[in-house]
Amino acid sequence: MQKEYRTITEISGPLVFAEVDEPVGYDEIVEITTSDGQTRRGQVLETTSDLVAIQVFEGTSGIDRQASVQFKGETLKMDLTEDLLGRVLDGSGQPIDGGPEIEPDERQDIVGAAINPYSREYPEEFIQTGVSAIDGMNTLVRGQKLPIFSASGLPHNDLALQIARQATVPEEDEDGDGSEFAVIFGAMGITAEEANEFMDDFERTGALERSVVFMNLADDPAVERTVTPRMALTTAEYLAFEKDYHVLVILTDMTNYCEALREIGAAREEVPGRRGYPGYMYTDLAQLYERAGRIQGRDGSVTQIPILTMPGDDDTHPIPDLTGYITEGQIYIDRDLNSQGVQPPVDVLPSLSRLMDDGIGEGLTRGDHADVKDQLFAAYAEGEDLRDLVNIVGREALSERDNKYLDLADRFEEEFVQQGYETERDIDETIEIGWDLLSTLPKEELNRVDEEFIEEHYREDGPEILEASADA
Amino acid sequence: MSKATASDDVREDGVIESVSGPVVTATDLQARMNDVVYVGTEGLMGEVIEIEGDITTIQVYEETSGVAPGEPVESTGAPLTVDLGPGMMDSIYDGVQRPLDVLESKMNSAYLDRGVDAPGIDLEKEWEFNPEVEAGDQVTAGDILGIVPETESIDHKVMVPPDSEGGEVVDVKSGEYTVDDTIVELDTGEEIRMRQEWPVREARPTSEKETPTEPLISGQRILDGLFPIAKGGTAAIPGPFGSGKTVTQHQLAKWADADIVVYVGCGERGNEMTEVIEDFPELEDPLTGNPLMDRTCLIANTSNMPVAARESCVYTGITIAEYFRDMGYDVALMADSTSRWAEAMREISSRLEEMPGEEGYPAYLAARLAQFYERAGYYQNKNGTEGSVSVIGAVSPPGGDFSEPVTQNTLRIVKTFWALDADLAERRHFPAINWNESYSLYRDQLDPWFEENVSEDWAEQRQWAIDTLDEEAELQEIVQLVGKDALPDDQQLTLEVARYLREAWLQQNAFHPTDTYCEPEKTYGILGAIKTLNDEAFDALDAGVPVEEITDIDNAPRLNRIGVQEDYNEFIEELEADITEELREKY
């Protein structure tokens, strides 16, 4: 069928250059067979009438100039079927769980066309993650892309697992409209240990049967990482928009993905952008993240939680920076809170959910949610500010008002954010804890809360859920 | 851009030589710089960006997967143009003016397919044309020929195309016509239709650029009160992610007192554009009471849509804005975000292997930015009307660092600078515009308008607010070291007053139905109430009342509630009286 060439002229890093005499399409899939019979897959990165640049997913080692090159005449496609649920695949979509071959119902291009903004439906359905720092302060909604900004040595995986385990949409539990929940897990360059942690948890909680797992481990070829998230998202779109699932996609670690992009860019001798990452990284990341969403007239949704580790805890690094400009907010994992033993150590101040305002309120969560959130943010921020001052002048030098804010900031971390990875709090409980904390301030200080709500919820006689604090 | 008309004069076929992402080279193509071409068997739209010998380089506005060397390339012989005529309001386009709703039904899919084209305005729809000229009249380029009631808010004025020679009217139609029917015939034989085309990279001609003297009222207290922009002015909103660029842009699109709003979503989030598409039709225009969409044209080229179309979308937007300006309207153009546009330039430039300038951006970045912002202005049009295009560009500096090239080159051109601040955003002070860093060079030229239309002491009151906030910034540095209680009484009082300036005046809740829009009179009223507190409080202090008692008064926190009052006049009057009474009782 397709013509076979033995015309490799250059092999450089993950790239192979071959001469051709017939036109080859951009992005087309290539199969390279080495002289000892191994096959490698790759993709056309640049094509001219006589020379083609190929990026090889499984690495170029073992390929020599005698290897044969075969162009498949089509772009990379993913085999899709509902039976993928419960399966474990490698980074390029081949089963590695010893199960049967995948019998596709459909094959889809993994690049994925852009969703027409006109056809989208605005996400405004609250997802309860059971984590107060997220539900209360930075609410996740269906169809959102909300990354976790973390760094090496922090427990981002525990948080991601907790979300995957607990995420529900409260109202639909009652009326049960039939849309099911599915988790797609795309691992890029994570260690085998981390992968085991995820797999054990999936198996322990029975989550595996409603999950599809894509595994590209740290010792798998880096270039393969550039297709793993696309495989995962193509599967997610299929399950969401063809089979009506509510899909939660967890991608970890986006930093490894970007490193792979940089590696290919360098091998192609492209003009590098910031810190050596390619200039098109924004577009490339956007093509992944923007595949989250809802579509009018379809029941399913794709919600994304990409995880990235910030090199040097620096959120101005190109990876978190570009991500933050594309995603609809971010959840920061904080090193200090982690060392204080707060679980999950979410720093709510820099965290943000852009879709929150439309996803909360009467009928969605609670009417007082927005006000409580605003007041908690303001109060916690003020308490945080005062901590610097305390270090210099001591607590005695501060006014009574300032001391109240300091106490509130401490209790906010110890009792609102801190909850443990196994504890699930529903939204009512989260907001009521919020009221317990706010009620440690005088009523007049609650300038962001509607008077009606203060009337209804302000605790005149001490907290209702939390223990009264020692000095009260 | 409509293929229907462009392909009439297809000139010559070329052949694809190489493909690398959005950049395609072709041989044997007879095309000029910036001509639009159709690439490959699928007919993907592209634009010529470089010619070298026999090799023509093309940036393609669509995904190029699967395109192979040897496929044909057709040139249209014309540069990238937009279709101008009735039917642009209440519509949503991609970066090359393809209507997204039409694309959805044509492709029968929620995804954007390739190689599908659609005219920018509906060619079938009939519009009611009411002529304003009659046979025998002399008309020249730009003259208004008649009126089409396009939406309830907007009368579309049909004009003689700018490149027309003009002449004597020999025939005029009246009644229902499509945009391609001849409605006016000139003695030169020229047939004028409602639809005209204009190349996006070229500014539409005008008579004269004038100095703007009228503010573009935004309904946002910090903008109108401290950093106003003029009708015909330029502004930049730089800020790190999460600091509220998009909310500010949306607020301006909703409440600015422009006749027409062109909103360009350039390389931003899909869900954000969906929010606009869903929200705007339900919102009321505060000026006319009609749906906001009636005066709005949206251009949505989200971050995952092809990068070359992102590069062109700001031009598409400003050309549409200029067209409405020519009718004598005040147009406001929001571009969110110009950084994505600059990055698109960088991406294409790097694929062309051009020598990079600062941070990899092409050396012509500054020139392109300047050219774009210079198309804003308050103009005397060819037809004698006056119109304006105000441009408000969001900038997304990497890492929130304003020293990067896009921010810096933008600041050299624009006259209003609204600096968004991550710190303010973090404590949910919104709009998170930093009052110490921001500026507006229009202040002096707009003061006469505010003094005439709002209050005579507008400029004075504002200066008081600025001084108080400045003083607060200085005092805060000391407070950080020694604590508030160590300050002398009068300075403690200043801090208290400044706190109300921040919380009751500068902060504004975009999501509250009343507070979201604040007319200049209310902006002035709130400031006046805080000033009353200030004056009365200092009087009390002079009379020997301890500072704690003054700052503890019960009525002061009510200042924070003025924003959400609909009948604010009464509320303010009462509050000022209560504050005065409460303080005077103390001595």
Side-chain angles (χ1 to χ4, degrees):
Chain A
M1 44 178 243
Q2 265 85 24
K3 195 162 176 183
E4 237 182 275
Y5 293 94
R6 288 183 189 275
T7 51
I8 293 177
T9 55
E10 187 186 334
I11 303 167
S12 149
L15 300 188
V16 166
F17 296 83
E19 284 174 355
V20 291
D21 51 16
E22 274 174 20
V24 173
Y26 177 70
D27 263 357
E28 217 173 88
I29 285 303
V30 188
E31 210 168 86
I32 297 176
T33 313
T34 59
S35 29
D36 53 4
Q38 292 180 25
T39 58
R40 306 280 169 82
R41 290 202 303 165
Q43 193 173 11
V44 173
L45 270 191
E46 188 167 344
T47 168
T48 68
S49 44
D50 51 7
L51 190 73
V52 173
I54 301 157
Q55 129 191 357
V56 184
F57 300 137
E58 287 102 340
T60 45
S61 72
I63 299 179
D64 58 14
R65 293 191 52 197
Q66 274 67 51
S68 93
V69 179
Q70 198 179 33
F71 297 95
K72 300 307 240 182
E74 62 169 24
T75 50
L76 193 53
K77 294 200 163 47
M78 172 81 198
D79 290 343
L80 295 170
T81 155
E82 222 171 324
D83 299 337
L84 279 171
L85 286 168
R87 301 299 301 270
V88 183
L89 313 170
D90 72 4
S92 44
Q94 310 298 323
I96 48 168
D97 53 1
E101 283 285 299
I102 288 160
E103 307 232 341
D105 288 342
E106 214 175 290
R107 301 185 74 228
Q108 281 289 340
D109 213 313
I110 64 154
V111 175
I115 302 178
N116 187 332
Y118 185 79
S119 312
R120 278 181 188 267
E121 191 171 316
Y122 190 65
E124 41 199 5
E125 278 174 311
F126 163 64
I127 298 180
Q128 181 174 298
T129 64
V131 179
S132 292
I134 296 177
D135 292 351
M137 310 299 283
N138 297 290
T139 315
L140 178 68
V141 298
R142 266 183 187 165
Q144 186 173 14
K145 38 196 178 295
L146 189 65
I148 298 177
F149 281 16
S150 186
S152 330
L154 293 180
H156 40 267
N157 291 343
D158 295 320
L159 178 61
L161 277 169
Q162 187 176 14
I163 295 171
R165 224 169 28 231
Q166 299 179 350
T168 55
V169 176
E171 286 155 59
E172 286 194 0
D173 285 347
E174 289 150 32
D175 57 33
D177 75 342
S179 289
E180 283 180 72
F181 210 73
V183 175
I184 296 199
F185 180 70
M188 292 160 284
I190 63 171
T191 59
E193 245 170 82
E194 280 177 285
N196 287 341
E197 194 188 323
F198 276 102
M199 292 310 297
D200 289 348
D201 198 86
F202 282 160
E203 276 163 28
R204 177 173 66 88
T205 58
L208 188 60
E209 34 186 290
R210 55 183 179 111
S211 308
V212 188
V213 177
F214 292 84
M215 282 284 175
N216 167 284
L217 298 183
D219 54 353
D220 288 334
V223 181
E224 191 184 79
R225 275 163 218 163
T226 60
V227 296
T228 308
R230 293 188 163 80
M231 294 272 173
L233 288 165
T234 307
T235 312
E237 283 172 351
Y238 170 78
L239 290 175
F241 303 130
E242 306 282 328
K243 301 291 172 195
D244 295 343
Y245 283 88
H246 289 295
V247 186
L248 179 69
V249 184
I250 298 174
L251 297 171
T252 181
D253 175 334
M254 289 307 293
T255 306
N256 295 333
Y257 171 82
C258 294
E259 301 287 337
L261 276 190
R262 177 162 70 175
E263 187 180 331
I264 296 165
R268 291 182 64 190
E269 297 175 8
E270 288 168 351
V271 181
R274 266 208 307 155
R275 302 226 190 162
Y277 292 98
Y280 49 80
M281 195 160 84
Y282 179 83
T283 308
D284 194 279
L285 286 173
Q287 281 169 352
L288 298 181
Y289 296 144
E290 277 292 331
R291 291 173 81 172
R294 308 204 54 185
I295 292 179
Q296 281 177 29
R298 315 273 173 98
D299 288 330
S301 63
V302 177
T303 308
Q304 274 188 38
I305 302 191
I307 298 171
L308 56 87
T309 47
M310 300 183 283
D313 294 8
D314 171 16
D315 65 1
T316 65
H317 183 281
I319 300 170
D321 192 49
L322 295 180
T323 299
Y325 276 120
I326 306 164
T327 54
E328 283 134 355
Q330 64 278 332
I331 302 290
Y332 277 86
I333 305 279
D334 186 71
R335 203 173 284 281
D336 287 343
L337 287 177
N338 186 47
S339 57
Q340 284 168 34
V342 175
Q343 292 182 338
V346 173
D347 187 358
V348 300
L349 287 181
S351 298
L352 170 74
S353 163
R354 292 166 186 274
L355 302 181
M356 176 171 192
D357 290 299
D358 294 297
I360 62 172
E362 197 65 56
L364 297 156
T365 54
R366 263 172 57 163
D368 55 344
H369 190 166
D371 287 3
V372 169
K373 168 207 63 158
D374 286 345
Q375 193 70 58
L376 278 173
F377 262 119
Y380 179 50
E382 182 150 4
E384 267 258 306
D385 275 355
L386 288 166
R387 284 180 180 163
D388 295 337
L389 191 56
V390 169
N391 288 337
I392 302 168
V393 299
R395 270 191 103 126
E396 295 72 29
L398 295 184
S399 66
E400 195 193 341
R401 177 180 177 277
D402 288 352
N403 272 306
K404 286 208 158 115
Y405 275 96
L406 275 169
D407 288 337
L408 184 130
D410 290 343
R411 295 193 63 184
F412 181 79
E413 289 168 2
E414 289 157 14
E415 297 172 59
F416 186 92
V417 180
Q418 156 70 26
Q419 67 177 85
Y421 296 113
E422 297 295 331
T423 314
E424 187 172 346
R425 287 186 189 151
D426 67 19
I427 184 65
D428 258 322
E429 191 179 351
T430 294
I431 297 177
E432 290 300 328
I433 295 174
W435 274 110
D436 272 1
L437 292 175
L438 288 180
S439 301
T440 60
L441 299 175
K443 258 188 200 178
E444 305 79 64
E445 291 289 322
L446 306 185
N447 55 2
R448 302 195 186 209
V449 186
D450 204 280
E451 273 148 359
E452 243 174 77
F453 296 132
I454 299 185
E455 202 69 26
E456 193 182 336
H457 297 284
Y458 188 81
R459 326 291 203 215
E460 304 283 356
D461 336 299
E464 289 175 10
I465 294 190
L466 302 175
E467 304 268 315
S469 64
D471 52 50
Chain B
M1 177 76 198
S2 64
K3 195 176 190 173
T5 53
S7 57
D8 290 345
D9 38 29
V10 163
R11 304 210 306 194
E12 192 91 27
D13 279 10
V15 175
I16 297 179
E17 164 75 18
S18 76
V19 186
S20 166
V23 175
V24 167
T25 61
T27 50
D28 300 324
L29 186 70
Q30 295 292 317
R32 295 167 301 185
M33 267 304 261
N34 295 101
D35 275 1
V36 169
V37 296
Y38 289 99
V39 174
T41 42
E42 285 182 86
L44 310 181
M45 190 167 159
E47 184 179 351
V48 175
I49 50 171
E50 193 177 82
I51 299 173
E52 199 181 339
D54 191 29
I55 305 274
T56 309
T57 309
I58 299 155
Q59 62 176 1
V60 182
Y61 295 127
E62 297 175 80
E63 186 66 46
T64 50
S65 277
V67 174
E71 291 184 21
V73 182
E74 280 175 14
S75 172
T76 60
L80 183 62
T81 59
V82 285
D83 288 333
L84 300 167
M88 285 192 291
M89 291 293 98
D90 192 13
S91 55
I92 166 162
Y93 296 121
D94 76 351
V96 287
Q97 212 208 3
R98 298 183 302 175
L100 289 172
D101 49 345
V102 178
L103 290 187
E104 183 191 56
S105 54
K106 266 193 162 178
M107 295 169 182
N108 195 19
S109 156
Y111 294 96
L112 288 170
D113 215 342
R114 302 189 302 184
V116 179
D117 210 334
I121 50 180
D122 192 335
L123 302 178
E124 314 286 320
K125 182 167 176 173
E126 290 192 343
W127 297 91
E128 182 193 331
F129 176 72
N130 306 305
E132 297 223 313
V133 292
E134 45 193 54
D137 286 356
Q138 282 291 333
V139 293
T140 57
D143 282 355
I144 293 169
L145 298 173
I147 303 237
V148 173
E150 183 174 347
T151 64
E152 294 208 8
S153 309
I154 297 300
D155 275 339
H156 192 106
K157 293 167 185 162
V158 178
M159 296 171 291
V160 181
D163 46 9
S164 161
E165 303 265 308
E168 193 188 309
V169 176
V170 291
D171 188 25
V172 190
K173 299 278 182 21
S174 170
E176 305 267 319
Y177 292 96
T178 71
V179 292
D180 270 342
D181 290 334
T182 302
I183 41 152
V184 169
E185 228 172 288
L186 302 184
D187 61 346
T188 55
E190 188 176 349
E191 296 179 345
I192 298 176
R193 299 169 297 177
M194 286 189 238
R195 184 171 74 94
Q196 43 178 284
E197 288 176 20
W198 191 259
V200 296
R201 291 180 204 277
E202 205 176 304
R204 285 173 66 88
T206 55
S207 288
E208 209 172 321
K209 192 166 184 168
E210 292 176 356
T211 308
T213 53
E214 220 181 284
L216 182 75
I217 298 297
S218 64
Q220 310 303 304
R221 289 190 284 273
I222 185 164
L223 305 186
D224 295 341
L226 288 181
F227 312 110
I229 174 176
K231 286 199 169 106
T234 49
I237 319 180
F241 59 81
S243 57
K245 281 184 299 296
T246 303
V247 176
T248 310
Q249 290 273 37
H250 283 194
Q251 285 297 90
L252 285 163
K254 286 177 192 167
W255 308 121
D257 69 336
D259 300 312
I260 307 267
V261 170
V262 179
Y263 192 97
V264 185
C266 173
E268 288 288 307
R269 304 174 181 90
N271 282 331
E272 268 169 14
M273 291 318 296
T274 311
E275 186 187 3
V276 175
I277 299 167
E278 285 185 13
D279 275 5
F280 277 31
E282 285 168 25
L283 288 170
E284 244 178 46
D285 181 348
L287 302 173
T288 61
N290 296 325
L292 262 187
M293 273 312 277
D294 278 6
R295 63 156 197 183
T296 310
C297 174
L298 296 174
I299 295 167
N301 210 85
T302 56
S303 53
N304 55 339
M305 282 155 75
V307 65
R310 194 187 312 158
E311 195 270 331
S312 68
C313 68
V314 297
Y315 294 107
T316 302
I318 200 148
T319 310
I320 293 173
E322 284 176 339
Y323 175 66
F324 282 101
R325 174 209 65 202
D326 287 350
M327 299 179 200
Y329 287 119
D330 291 315
V331 187
L333 178 124
M334 328 288 161
D336 183 15
S337 148
T338 56
S339 293
R340 305 294 161 238
W341 169 48
E343 280 162 13
M345 271 190 250
R346 173 167 72 181
E347 198 172 321
I348 308 249
S349 159
S350 112
R351 297 222 188 231
L352 290 177
E353 296 177 356
E354 289 173 346
M355 187 72 78
E358 214 179 333
E359 292 198 15
Y361 286 104
Y364 45 77
L365 172 73
R368 291 275 171 91
L369 281 169
Q371 271 166 13
F372 169 68
Y373 280 103
E374 268 305 286
R375 288 172 75 169
Y378 195 96
Y379 288 95
Q380 180 100 48
N381 291 324
K382 287 275 186 202
N383 53 26
T385 58
E386 284 184 0
S388 67
V389 175
S390 317
V391 174
I392 297 143
V395 185
S396 321
D401 170 15
F402 291 172
S403 67
E404 58 93 38
V406 182
T407 314
Q408 283 308 312
N409 284 312
T410 304
L411 287 186
R412 282 165 47 200
I413 315 156
V414 300
K415 297 182 83 174
T416 311
F417 173 52
W418 298 323
L420 290 169
D421 188 321
D423 247 15
L424 290 174
E426 223 171 78
R427 60 193 66 213
R428 302 309 192 256
H429 172 116
F430 287 116
I433 295 168
N434 184 314
W435 50 92
N436 293 316
E437 278 183 54
S438 304
Y439 59 78
S440 165
L441 300 179
Y442 295 112
R443 253 188 214 159
D444 295 341
Q445 89 209 45
L446 298 178
D447 276 347
W449 187 94
F450 283 110
E451 280 162 5
E452 191 178 320
N453 291 282
V454 185
S455 172
E456 272 181 12
D457 60 350
W458 174 273
E460 250 167 75
Q461 291 279 56
R462 183 189 58 214
Q463 198 52 48
W464 169 76
I466 295 173
D467 292 344
T468 309
L469 289 166
D470 278 353
E471 199 179 339
E472 188 203 21
E474 278 171 34
L475 292 176
Q476 282 297 357
E477 285 176 24
I478 306 173
V479 171
Q480 286 299 320
L481 293 176
V482 297
K484 195 158 142 191
D485 293 342
L487 292 180
D489 288 354
D490 60 328
Q491 293 187 345
Q492 285 191 37
L493 205 50
T494 303
L495 282 180
E496 184 72 2
V497 171
R499 186 164 72 90
Y500 282 113
L501 277 177
R502 284 189 281 114
E503 290 180 1
W505 195 54
L506 296 180
Q507 276 190 30
Q508 190 172 349
N509 186 349
F511 299 99
H512 189 283
T514 308
D515 202 21
T516 182
Y517 175 77
C518 185
E519 54 203 46
E521 288 77 11
K522 190 173 175 183
T523 299
Y524 177 79
I526 299 177
L527 187 55
I530 301 171
K531 182 82 183 344
T532 304
L533 169 74
N534 177 72
D535 296 349
E536 291 296 330
F538 275 98
D539 282 352
L541 191 70
D542 287 345
V545 184
V547 68
E548 296 78 28
E549 273 186 43
I550 300 174
T551 53
D552 258 5
I553 62 167
D554 295 336
N555 281 305
R558 280 168 62 205
L559 286 167
N560 287 332
R561 307 238 176 236
I562 309 178
V564 299
Q565 306 298 326
E566 245 172 274
D567 299 317
Y568 59 89
N569 274 323
E570 209 175 298
F571 188 90
I572 291 175
E573 225 168 272
E574 218 173 276
L575 178 59
E576 287 186 347
D578 289 349
I579 289 177
T580 309
E581 196 190 308
E582 196 182 351
L583 282 169
R584 288 194 183 170
E585 268 171 12
K586 296 187 187 292
Y587 58 93

